[in-house]
Amino acid sequence: MMLTGLQIAVIGGDARQLEVIRKLSELDARLSLIGFEQLDHVYSGVFKEKLSEVNFHEIDAIILPVTGTNLEGQVDTIFSNEEVRLTEEIILKTPSYCTIYSGISNPYLDSITQKANRKLVKLFERNDVAIYNSIPTVEGTIMMAIQHTEFTIHGSTVAILGLGRVGMSVARAFHHLGAKVKVGARKTEHIARIEEMGLKPFHLKELDKEVKDIDICINTVPQLIVNAAVIQKMPTHTLIIDLASKPGGTDFRYAEKRGIKALLAPSLPGIVAPKTAGQILGNVLTQLIDEDVIKRKGNEQ
Ligand code: NAP
């Protein structure tokens, strides 16, 4: 599959976007890079442009960073000092089949794409992306556990909270490293799966009882479940690694008060493996651009 003849605007982003750019360029798309003027080397067919210079009437797809925009429409650009702001007016210039790709969204981005009647794809809501991303997330979690403890993972008792896409990968990896892993969940099917994996299941409503003997607590539930009552029952040497999206699921104030080390660890894939994290996005994006853009563009012409 090639992207020859497609014009794609890549607006802002971090090191992960460099892999996306490489992949799309390899597939022969013409790329307008906005917010990348400090980037030294660009491939042929790739043009560094200012937002005002881009002819959006010819843009088939817009790729935003993992974070999308902020609530005022500003896009993070780490390779530029310029302020880049995506507006409804810009999106309205694009052809009707133009698709906007972002990691996550917010009310601003939802609203401008809805008003302009353009398709918005939130890559991080996709199961495939979440599962692939759990791989570098696990490696980052292992790194943090090693850096912040004086004991081996092997032989330690680790409680993992949540058996979603991240929780399952984390549980399996710590199990294979020789930890005694127990996993907290609330659904009976999750309890059954944990048992099947050879790990110790417990119901999250029993969390305060289950933390009495743990060395490491890894939370993936984006709700305040590691609350003061739970932290109060933990041994003082326990390390809490909270992977859930900001603000996490831990009462960090109380953990600090009790002298328990608690770390909020967001965006691990972008930190420990930006290249892999970018490749994950690049691979999914090329498939999606084929489905969303090439087919719809073909239908219109
Ligand atoms: P997921 O597949 O939706 O898993 C979330 C888990 O939390 C599920 O097991 C879910 O159980 C449980 N859960 C949600 N609300 C709950 C509640 N109120 N009480 C008890 N359990 C609850 O999500 P994921 O892809 O694994 O991601 C988990 C979190 O990690 C998200 O916040 C995500 O943004 C974040 N994340 C962080 C990193 C990083 O680098 N730190 C990387 C990737 C993802 P049910 O099925 O019972 O609802």
Side-chain angles (χ1 to χ4, degrees):
M1 198 252 315
M2 294 297 287
L3 301 176
T4 309
L6 281 200
Q7 298 205 28
I8 301 175
V10 181
I11 308 183
D14 56 26
R16 284 174 277 192
Q17 233 56 345
L18 303 181
E19 281 302 310
V20 171
I21 292 165
R22 194 189 55 73
K23 174 93 185 181
L24 298 175
S25 151
E26 215 173 82
L27 296 174
D28 204 26
R30 182 199 183 281
L31 300 183
S32 297
L33 306 188
I34 299 119
F36 288 92
E37 71 258 15
Q38 286 159 13
L39 203 66
D40 289 336
H41 169 75
V42 290
Y43 312 96
S44 73
V46 177
F47 304 91
K48 293 192 263 185
E49 292 173 16
K50 289 207 179 353
L51 197 59
S52 56
E53 293 166 358
V54 181
N55 182 3
F56 278 95
H57 296 286
E58 295 182 346
I59 292 293
D60 299 303
I62 295 175
I63 299 180
L64 296 174
V66 164
T67 47
T69 68
N70 71 8
L71 289 169
E72 279 81 50
Q74 270 155 18
V75 182
D76 267 348
T77 57
I78 69 157
F79 301 103
S80 165
N81 297 323
E82 227 183 298
E83 199 167 276
V84 175
R85 187 163 176 269
L86 187 69
T87 61
E88 186 189 340
E89 291 70 50
I90 293 174
I91 297 179
L92 274 171
K93 290 182 191 156
T94 61
S96 60
Y97 56 79
C98 176
T99 306
I100 293 123
Y101 298 92
S102 174
I104 55 172
S105 188
N106 62 31
Y108 177 87
L109 186 56
D110 283 343
S111 133
I112 60 167
T113 48
Q114 263 162 29
K115 282 198 215 139
N117 197 22
R118 296 294 182 275
K119 183 172 175 180
L120 172 68
V121 177
K122 291 167 259 181
L123 296 168
F124 276 22
E125 282 188 1
R126 293 176 58 90
N127 251 327
D128 52 2
V129 173
I131 292 169
Y132 285 125
N133 251 326
S134 76
I135 302 167
T137 305
V138 166
E139 293 192 11
T141 309
I142 294 169
M143 176 189 79
M144 297 195 72
I146 293 170
Q147 276 176 346
H148 294 279
T149 56
E150 295 173 329
F151 47 84
T152 56
I153 293 170
H154 184 279
S156 60
T157 300
V158 180
I160 291 152
L161 314 183
L163 192 79
R165 281 99 31 121
V166 175
M168 183 177 291
S169 305
V170 171
R172 198 185 289 117
F174 277 75
H175 173 59
H176 287 310
L177 285 171
K180 295 179 207 113
V181 174
K182 52 168 113 173
V183 186
R186 59 177 175 180
K187 287 187 180 143
T188 55
E189 66 189 81
H190 285 166
I191 299 288
R193 178 61 69 196
I194 296 160
E195 183 90 43
E196 177 276 326
M197 290 166 75
L199 310 176
K200 183 179 174 259
F202 67 90
H203 196 285
L204 280 171
K205 64 176 187 258
E206 305 284 309
L207 182 56
D208 58 337
K209 297 184 190 69
E210 293 290 339
V211 297
K212 287 177 186 157
D213 63 343
I214 64 171
D215 303 301
I216 301 175
C217 176
I218 300 170
N219 177 50
T220 75
V221 175
Q223 294 286 333
L224 180 59
I225 62 166
V226 188
N227 54 29
V230 170
I231 295 170
Q232 197 247 329
K233 299 273 169 50
M234 291 179 179
T236 48
H237 72 270
T238 305
L239 170 68
I240 302 171
I241 302 175
D242 198 336
L243 300 176
S245 49
K246 279 179 193 161
T250 304
D251 185 338
F252 290 97
R253 183 201 63 85
Y254 185 74
E256 189 177 353
K257 186 169 173 188
R258 248 213 92 197
I260 287 190
K261 195 184 255 186
L263 308 164
L264 184 62
S267 314
L268 288 173
I271 296 167
V272 298
K275 198 171 171 116
T276 310
Q279 283 164 349
I280 291 167
L281 295 174
N283 290 341
V284 175
L285 269 170
T286 46
Q287 277 173 34
L288 292 179
I289 290 172
D290 184 42
E291 287 162 25
D292 296 326
V293 181
I294 300 185
K295 302 224 164 83
R296 284 164 73 201
K297 186 177 182 179
N299 289 343
E300 272 189 24
Q301 284 171 351

